[in-house]
Amino acid sequence: MATLLHIDSSVFPTDASSSRAVTDAFSRSWQEQHPHGTVIHRDLAADPVPHITAHAHTAGFSDPATHTPEQAAAFTERVKLIEELESADAVLIGAPMYNLTIPSTLKAWLDNVVLFGRTAGDAQSLKGTPVTVVASRGGAYGPGTPREGYEYVQNYLSAVLADFLGTDLDFIVPELTMATANPEMTDLIPLYEASRERALDAAAAKAKQLAQRLAA
């Protein structure tokens, strides 16, 4: 049966997080369509992975037979994360925008699973794997907006997930999520609400489509 790897990185709980609300909608739709499948939920806020260390980094570029005990231990932890990712038939990632980029916990996870010669580079063990990223943000950073040049989430994740890892990448983008909390954005609340509904609908539809495709 198909396996979904569901990764959240928001520091807020589902009822206060736009990215978690949308990834939750995706996961629930997936399970409705695929009740006998497997969902692996990795919450990087509650259980962060280690940031990359010199031992973990250098071990990725050397023969395992030459690893020091420190390198071997660090590399083992990287391999566990990589194997978990490689075992997934589809991947779901919640990536809220914090200070114009992704949370450091998500960056730490990426630093561990991007391994040239295996997941990245010529090998690309994840090539073609469908990856859906819920890229929520408090404002609007799309083409034509005043802050278009500050969009570092989709640009960065496209480079890493699509170009480096070769995955089949799709974005769902709930925006203006600070409208209900910021008095200066009150006029934008209807746009935020519309964006949220579109994101929730897109998540449910995407999960259904993927689950049916993988179950076929």
Side-chain angles (χ1 to χ4, degrees), residues 23-205:
T23 60
D24 182 64
F26 185 109
S27 183
R28 284 187 287 107
S29 178
W30 170 280
Q31 291 176 75
E32 288 169 3
Q33 296 296 319
H34 206 23
H36 301 297
T38 299
V39 177
I40 301 170
H41 186 207
R42 179 170 286 279
D43 189 335
L44 297 176
D47 187 18
V49 303
H51 281 75
I52 201 79
T53 64
H55 294 307
H57 180 75
T58 56
F61 292 94
S62 58
D63 184 344
T66 68
H67 287 176
T68 65
E70 294 80 9
Q71 284 179 313
F75 193 62
T76 295
E77 295 306 308
R78 285 188 72 183
V79 169
K80 288 179 182 177
L81 294 172
I82 290 169
E83 289 178 342
E84 180 179 74
L85 178 57
E86 289 175 335
S87 72
D89 298 287
V91 182
L92 170 66
I93 301 174
M97 179 186 282
Y98 291 166
N99 296 318
L100 305 181
T101 188
I102 62 174
S104 64
T105 50
L106 181 54
K107 178 62 164 61
W109 179 80
L110 287 168
D111 285 342
N112 276 280
V113 301
V114 174
L115 180 60
F116 282 87
R118 181 165 178 172
T119 60
D122 293 335
Q124 290 188 325
S125 60
L126 303 165
K127 188 174 181 62
T129 300
V131 175
T132 304
V133 173
V134 177
S136 61
R137 62 275 315 275
Y141 297 81
T145 63
R147 294 192 174 185
E148 176 181 358
Y150 293 151
E151 208 304 299
Y152 301 117
V153 172
Q154 288 177 264
N155 289 343
Y156 169 70
L157 291 177
S158 292
V160 174
L161 296 171
D163 297 344
F164 278 20
L165 303 187
T167 68
D168 180 10
L169 180 62
D170 188 27
F171 285 99
I172 298 173
V173 185
E175 60 182 8
L176 301 169
T177 64
M178 289 296 294
T180 58
N182 185 345
E184 295 182 359
M185 297 175 67
T186 299
D187 291 345
L188 299 175
I189 289 177
L191 292 177
Y192 152 67
E193 291 174 342
S195 175
R196 177 183 173 86
E197 288 306 310
R198 285 195 301 271
L200 291 170
D201 290 346

